[in-house]
Amino acid sequence: MSGNGMDAVRGGLARGLARFVAPARLPEGFAPAFAQKPEGGVFDLAANAAAAEALAQPMLGGGDGAVALLLALAGGPGPAPRAIGPARVVVEDAAPRDFRITTPHHLFTGNLFRGEIRQHLHGTEGAPAAIHGGNLVEFAYRRRWHCLDVEDAIVAAGIEDAEGGVRLYHESVLSGRGGRFTRGGPRELARLRYDYDLRADTPVVTVTVTLTPLPGVVLDRPRITTACDAMSPGDGVDYATLVIGEVQRPSPAGENVTIQQGPVAGFGARQQRTPSRALCLQLTPRGPATLLSVKASGPAEERLHWLLTRYAGTRLAAGESLTQREDRLLLRGTEAPFEAPRGADAASAAPRQRIAAALAMQALFGDAAKAPILTAAARRNLAALSEAETAPAELAHALMASEVLFRAARNPDDRAQIDALAARLLATQIADGTFREPGGASASIAEHATALLALARRLALDGVEAAGAALRRGIAALALITLPGPVDTITLPTTPAAGTEELAMLLRALRAAQAARAAGTLAMPEAEARRLAFLADLALRFLQARFRPDGDALVVDGGVSVQVAALAALVPPEGALR
């Protein structure tokens, strides 16, 4: 494609991207940021960071609204919310056996008649991050002990309006026998209700359990429970560590292992994953029942399956109830809800290093008057990178942020940080050439492409042999594949670039590697160079096949991050930047 032709494509994509601009409500007013869809009301910070970075390119310009959003929500010392949008709970499907409810913080699905509530974090696919269910109830009736499965006895369930949101509930009728020599079948003894309150203004789920004997029934030593089930199904969801008060311990192997006896202020479970990706479930008893014990079950150590909390009463006569409330907080990438405007996702942290890279790029190429503010905000986000972080994408974006900051100021400390971050990124590359968080799932195309891009830009400073070799191995890991459809695309050993965004990100990285070789910073044998050119040309053709005209714009199917990735892939390649 000629230069003029590429300019026309970039212009069309930029006009398509402009259709996603909408007013985002910020603490001090509104900003024209990029919504997830045209005329939408949800603004993802990672997507706006990608837009701010792409539009910082001198040939494009703009992105002021995205920058304002990033500075307002991610410009301070603390973490930022993943997204911001309307502060409301939306019941998308009210069928108790197959409900679907979204809050600003989570997605809930499940079957209330099975006592199962699946809780997902926004922006993730696959297994739920938590499943509320698996409860038991225990009591003595006329000296006979009963231990019953709550879900087996559910007779009613539904969704109700509640203050600030909705309430999910299921109610069981408990039956049993009394006395060793009692004749006749079991009789109904009590009703047991579970309420789950979901609110728009908090990511906390409040669970309330109420056990009430039926008229004429007295229950001794009642025990009500709250439980989480199927906690380590894989697919990115597993809990290895238990937290009891301030103490952490590996989740034990075995059935019904007592991990806490007696009251405790709080407890929970967390993943052994890199800080930016780790799940954390915090449970806080709120009374009035007494916490008797916490038990854990799992097929192996550090593989939690069932977490059961038992709350105790003494004796329940007719007209009395045993009630317990518990707050449940599911988080990712942070261990505490952060201060955020109403409507923000306060359960998942935004990718701070992605934001740092965008702010640094805007400081270098954007409004010079804002450069000091943007640089300071970029450095605050960069400084938040944990020493324990091992996610390739986070390390790659931190590396690119440091590289841009160094090009702007030529600070020796930035240069030292570039070398340190490059070494950490290289440590995530495994034998097959892909990049992977240690202990994490198979490498994704998006993460792989981000790592390749960061290495190509690192080479622009000087042709470091280790970075060049890692870049070559990463390119060698790529292959062609035809997906059902048929759709031709590029793949890693286990993960194809099925989506347009991933394909565009890969094209951007391949073009950067080509530019690095042309600039002499990437040493590559001729055969490898021809293969690189072949892959880049095919990736461009595959991507262009997904463009379609819409009025004076070019668009691709998908949300704003897809439009941004396509545009960013076609700006001048970055492997030759000095």
Side-chain angles (χ1 to χ4, degrees):
M1 181 181 293
S2 68
N4 289 339
M6 186 67 79
D7 287 343
V9 171
R10 281 191 290 261
L13 289 171
R15 287 188 291 274
L17 178 60
R19 297 181 179 184
F20 289 78
V21 174
R25 182 187 292 274
L26 304 182
E28 298 182 358
F30 289 87
F34 293 93
Q36 288 293 85
K37 57 185 180 180
E39 300 180 0
V42 176
F43 301 84
D44 182 271
L45 265 69
N48 275 271
E53 182 188 27
L55 295 176
Q57 291 286 343
M59 67 167 44
L60 296 175
D64 291 346
V67 172
L69 176 71
L70 297 178
L71 288 177
L73 299 181
R82 182 197 64 86
I84 186 170
R88 62 172 181 253
V89 174
V90 180
V91 180
E92 298 179 3
D93 192 331
R97 298 183 189 277
D98 190 20
F99 66 87
R100 182 181 176 90
I101 300 170
T102 58
T103 76
H105 323 283
H106 298 105
L107 163 67
F108 297 88
T109 63
N111 184 341
L112 292 172
F113 278 95
R114 287 196 345 220
E116 182 179 274
I117 297 170
R118 299 187 293 267
Q119 188 172 7
H120 309 252
L121 291 151
H122 289 305
T124 61
E125 298 179 354
I131 296 179
H132 308 277
N135 296 291
L136 303 174
V137 60
E138 303 166 279
F139 55 84
Y141 174 63
R142 293 182 178 177
R143 298 185 303 278
R144 175 173 286 191
W145 186 249
H146 296 74
C147 179
L148 305 177
D149 188 308
V150 171
E151 284 76 23
D152 286 346
I154 293 175
V155 297
I159 301 171
E160 303 173 337
D161 290 333
E163 181 181 358
V166 299
R167 176 173 298 128
L168 315 181
Y169 76 90
H170 57 81
E171 191 166 332
S172 302
V173 173
L174 308 176
S175 299
R177 300 172 184 269
R180 182 176 298 178
F181 304 108
T182 302
R183 294 182 178 179
R187 62 171 290 191
E188 293 183 353
L189 301 176
R191 298 187 79 90
L192 178 64
R193 177 173 168 126
Y194 280 75
D195 291 316
Y196 297 83
D197 284 359
L198 317 180
R199 295 174 59 98
D201 59 359
T202 176
V204 172
V205 176
T206 299
V207 185
T208 305
V209 189
T210 306
L211 175 64
T212 306
L214 295 178
V217 175
V218 176
L219 302 181
D220 289 308
R221 292 186 294 147
R223 309 287 189 257
I224 54 179
T225 69
T226 59
C228 292
D229 205 0
M231 296 191 69
S232 299
D235 196 20
V237 178
D238 52 78
Y239 291 89
T241 303
L242 296 170
V243 183
I244 309 296
E246 300 297 324
V247 178
Q248 297 188 28
R249 57 166 290 184
S251 175
E255 295 294 321
N256 297 321
V257 179
T258 300
I259 58 173
Q260 170 65 25
Q261 195 78 44
V264 65
F267 57 98
R270 65 177 49 153
Q271 283 188 303
Q272 282 188 338
R273 286 194 65 183
T274 189
S276 66
R277 309 290 173 83
L279 296 170
C280 176
L281 179 64
Q282 301 173 6
L283 311 178
T284 305
R286 296 300 186 193
T290 300
L291 194 154
L292 183 65
S293 65
V294 182
K295 295 180 178 290
S297 299
E301 189 174 75
E302 298 188 341
R303 191 178 169 194
L304 179 64
H305 178 77
W306 188 38
L307 188 64
L308 180 76
T309 311
R310 299 167 71 232
Y311 296 96
T314 52
R315 178 175 243 224
L316 285 180
E320 298 178 332
S321 294
L322 175 62
T323 299
Q324 173 62 23
R325 287 182 294 277
E326 184 179 278
D327 285 346
R328 299 183 161 195
L329 179 58
L330 175 64
L331 303 170
R332 179 183 57 189
T334 179
E335 295 188 358
F338 30 83
E339 294 185 7
R342 183 174 171 82
D345 180 344
S348 298
R352 299 195 68 174
Q353 303 313 309
R354 182 74 188 83
I355 293 169
L359 293 174
M361 189 69 83
Q362 280 283 340
L364 182 64
F365 290 124
D367 186 350
K370 296 180 180 178
I373 295 174
L374 294 166
T375 298
R379 291 191 182 281
R380 280 194 294 271
N381 280 277
L382 185 58
L385 183 72
S386 169
E387 290 296 326
E389 184 63 55
T390 56
E394 284 292 291
L395 295 174
H397 280 123
L399 176 57
M400 289 188 281
S402 297
E403 167 251 325
V404 174
L405 291 170
F406 174 73
R407 287 198 280 121
R410 298 289 167 175
N411 187 319
D413 290 341
D414 292 330
R415 181 53 194 264
Q417 184 157 266
I418 288 170
D419 292 338
L421 288 168
R424 290 172 64 180
L425 177 59
L426 292 178
T428 68
Q429 191 177 43
I430 61 177
D432 66 0
T434 61
F435 296 84
R436 182 182 304 179
E437 170 199 338
S442 299
S444 70
I445 285 284
E447 196 138 35
H448 189 80
T450 304
L452 295 183
L453 177 63
L455 290 176
R457 286 173 45 163
R458 165 70 184 88
L459 289 172
L461 297 177
D462 51 56
V464 179
E465 183 176 347
L471 180 57
R472 289 171 55 197
R473 286 194 298 272
I475 294 169
L478 300 170
L480 299 177
I481 191 173
T482 299
L483 300 176
V487 176
D488 293 326
T489 189
I490 298 175
T491 186
L492 289 175
T494 59
T495 309
T500 303
E501 182 176 1
E502 292 82 5
L503 183 60
M505 294 174 71
L506 192 56
L507 172 60
R508 182 181 177 188
L510 293 173
R511 295 185 71 219
Q514 285 183 295
R517 181 177 182 272
T521 58
L522 173 61
M524 177 177 278
E526 187 61 34
E528 289 184 32
R530 287 196 298 271
R531 183 175 184 274
L532 169 60
F534 175 69
L535 289 174
D537 182 65
L538 282 181
L540 177 59
R541 293 173 184 271
F542 294 160
L543 182 62
Q544 288 178 316
R546 303 187 185 198
F547 298 164
R548 57 180 175 83
D550 188 352
D552 66 343
L554 284 177
V555 297
V556 288
D557 292 335
V560 65
S561 60
V562 181
Q563 319 296 317
V564 171
L567 179 60
L570 300 182
V571 298
E574 300 152 87
L577 294 174
R578 297 283 185 175

